[in-house]
Amino acid sequence: MDARSAILARARDAISRSQTRPVGAVPRDYIRSGENPPGSPPVVDEMIEKLEDYSASVVVAPQDAAILEAIDELLGPARTVVVPAGLPSHYKEAAARSGRELWEDSREEPIATLRLDEADAVLTCSRLGISISGTIVLDGEPDQGRRAISLVPDKHVVVLERESIVPTVPQAVDILGEHPARPMTWIAGPSATSDIELVRVNGVHGPRDLRVVVAH
């Protein structure tokens, strides 16, 4: 028997044995609470620390006026900004400051991908944050828009409500599991990868510049 036949025979034998062997229940006793509740100062501080470790820019905005100022500040010199149709109107107004041109995107009237590539930045809200990993999750709701708009433009400014920051991944999965059919985007810092020589390259499969407004 050659090596290929031997491997396939072992695979078939393993499959056959697994079909007759009783399988016990898989334990699901994941930790669903940290030492601190969602949105508490230690959880927010951990989230900010992880984001900054990923080279993301973070501004904490404790009041509505500060949120709008932070949006304007983080968009910086961008001249064209993509916004989802369901973004709050006052966020759109902040994005339009300094003469910026807004490109509104929706599922009914999507912006072509090639045109998205010409935009300087995108502004969205978010569903939640996970402090243990510094991850921000978008789930395609109207204030977050289609996945493409958060992946193609070079700069992504995202508003993250502090009350939506949870300590652990299982807590986040429980929340996201309430609407499992929504398209999700998990963001852990600016898009980056490295080649075989460990040379870091930013912006390969998403924005190279992530900027976060931690609101309230």
Side-chain angles (χ1 to χ4, degrees):
M1 180 182 295
D2 59 21
R4 179 177 180 276
S5 299
I7 292 171
L8 292 175
R10 290 182 180 180
R12 284 191 292 268
D13 180 59
I15 293 172
S16 176
R17 284 187 283 107
S18 69
Q19 291 174 341
T20 57
R21 183 187 307 161
V23 178
V26 177
R28 302 292 184 185
D29 52 343
Y30 306 119
I31 297 174
R32 283 183 159 78
S33 63
E35 295 180 1
N36 302 288
S40 62
V43 171
V44 174
D45 289 345
E46 182 181 43
M47 184 78 192
I48 293 171
E49 179 183 357
K50 295 293 174 60
L51 286 169
E52 291 179 339
D53 189 51
Y54 291 143
S55 301
S57 300
V58 183
V59 173
V60 178
Q63 300 173 345
D64 288 343
I67 296 172
L68 305 183
E69 290 294 333
I71 289 172
D72 185 25
E73 174 189 341
L74 294 179
L75 284 172
R79 306 312 306 162
T80 52
V81 182
V82 177
V83 294
L87 192 73
S89 59
H90 53 300
Y91 290 0
K92 292 180 183 179
E93 292 169 3
R97 291 179 183 177
S98 305
R100 298 187 190 95
E101 180 183 355
L102 301 189
W103 297 355
E104 188 169 293
D105 181 90
S106 67
R107 288 183 174 80
E108 294 73 26
E109 297 183 17
I111 298 172
T113 303
L114 289 178
R115 188 161 186 251
L116 283 176
D117 192 42
E118 299 172 357
D120 295 325
V122 57
L123 170 65
T124 73
C125 291
S126 57
R127 181 71 175 96
L128 55 80
I130 308 169
S131 68
I132 194 171
S133 60
T135 304
I136 298 173
V137 183
L138 281 59
D139 67 356
E141 284 299 274
D143 61 348
Q144 300 155 57
R146 299 183 301 128
R147 295 187 74 240
I149 69 171
S150 64
L151 295 174
V152 178
D154 204 47
K155 178 188 295 184
H156 183 189
V157 177
V158 56
V159 179
L160 174 65
E161 298 286 344
R162 66 179 300 145
E163 291 81 5
S164 72
I165 303 174
V166 298
T168 69
V169 174
Q171 285 172 293
V173 171
D174 286 343
I175 295 170
L176 297 168
E178 296 172 4
H179 303 282
R182 291 179 181 174
M184 299 179 193
T185 304
W186 292 56
I187 304 168
S191 169
T193 190
S194 60
D195 60 21
I196 195 170
E197 296 179 347
L198 301 182
V199 176
R200 181 183 174 95
V201 179
N202 293 334
V204 176
H205 37 62
R208 76 180 71 234
D209 186 357
L210 177 66
R211 305 187 175 196
V212 183
V213 181
V214 178
H216 300 293

